[in-house]
Amino acid sequence: MQQPLENNIDQEQLAEAVDVVHEEFGELCETAIILGSGLGVLAEQLKNAHFLATKDIPGYPPSTVAGHRGRWVVGELEGEKILAVQGRIHGYEGHAATVLAFPVHILASCGIKNLVMTNAAGAINRFYAPGHFMAIDDQINLTFANPLIGKNDEGLGPRFPDMSAPYDRSLSRKLVHIGTRLGIKMHRGIYVGVRGPSYESAAEIRMFERIGADAVGMSTVVEVIAAVQRGMRVIGISCISNMATGIANQPLSHDEVTEAAEKVKDDFLLLITKLVHEI
Ligand code: HPA
């Protein structure tokens, strides 16, 4: 006989995790930001900061990537309260999509309404360059995984969530205006999410270009599917760290990606600080 299907999210563990977060932070704000590779600097800028190590959150998957510190930080950016998730976990570490989505479920169950997803990405669009930012308009999930597979709990959200507008269009427009006013080079485009960890071949990048992608990265898409199911307002920001394979004629390295993020951190901080005032 077939085994009964398991819920894609363990409700008991989720409830425990939510309790721990509430115990640590008390009343939460409405906006959270998940920080991508090399973008953890934002968490260090928060004033009156409180910290919670992700290893102290029940069921939280451990991060194994250098440059990804596992902690949640609540603090203020120019007076605006925000929760920053530092040390995102990735599919290439071996986590299943449901596991990748667990932090998003905790955030949603803690009452977070607005989710700012950030990542470092390689540019497929030839008009982009390292140091530019892309407001994510839409996504292509090429991880071949989905965090909602398994038995659905209708209490969390619909079985078949609508994905016609995963990213909030008006916030995305706002982000571009804010950046442009600050003199930051901004784009709006399509993010294709892959599983990694190898970078793409040049042939794969040519395929991504043909299917309409502007930037490529190894995160975000799976978490955003869960966030949409939970009814969160999502804004996505890609920090272009390199030209994707074959677009510029040079090999890629992870150091290049983290160094590029380091170089644009002032722009990134400015952008997010202004953005959180407008959400
Ligand atoms: N490919 C995939 N992921 C990435 C890249 C890339 O070129 N740059 C930063 N993250």
Side-chain angles (χ1 to χ4, degrees), residues 84-261:
V85 174
Q86 203 181 0
R88 89 131 51 85
I89 42 169
H90 295 83
Y92 59 72
E93 294 170 76
H95 301 300
T98 46
V99 176
L100 294 181
F102 192 59
V104 173
H105 283 288
I106 304 173
L107 291 170
S109 295
C110 285
I112 295 287
K113 305 260 181 303
N114 310 305
L115 186 61
V116 184
M117 301 295 297
T118 70
N119 57 54
I124 298 171
N125 189 315
R126 291 155 204 270
F127 290 102
Y128 295 7
H132 292 185
F133 289 84
M134 181 182 90
I136 306 179
D137 255 354
D138 206 345
Q139 70 179 30
I140 301 172
N141 176 10
L142 280 190
T143 65
F144 303 102
N146 193 300
L148 310 183
I149 288 174
K151 195 165 154 226
N152 189 52
D153 186 329
E154 291 285 333
L156 296 182
R159 167 80 292 187
F160 303 108
D162 169 58
M163 288 293 287
S164 58
Y167 297 88
D168 188 283
R169 293 265 158 79
S170 75
L171 278 180
S172 175
R173 264 198 302 274
K174 243 181 217 167
L175 176 71
V176 172
H177 287 150
I178 291 168
T180 307
R181 269 206 309 271
L182 293 167
I184 299 170
K185 195 77 183 147
M186 302 293 302
H187 304 279
R188 290 178 69 180
I190 312 294
Y191 177 91
V192 58
V194 295
R195 195 145 190 230
S198 52
Y199 287 112
E200 301 70 38
S201 70
E204 285 163 348
I205 292 298
R206 283 196 297 276
M207 174 180 77
F208 296 169
E209 190 176 23
R210 283 179 196 169
I211 63 174
D214 297 291
V216 58
M218 301 176 196
S219 66
T220 306
V221 292
V222 162
E223 292 142 298
V224 167
I225 290 171
V228 168
Q229 190 205 31
R230 299 299 305 269
M232 296 169 107
R233 194 151 75 122
V234 180
I235 179 156
I237 307 171
S238 290
C239 161
I240 302 300
S241 55
N242 58 281
M243 299 310 286
T245 313
I247 302 286
N249 247 342
Q250 62 188 51
L252 279 185
S253 73
H254 183 61
D255 288 349
E256 179 189 352
V257 171
T258 39
E259 274 164 31

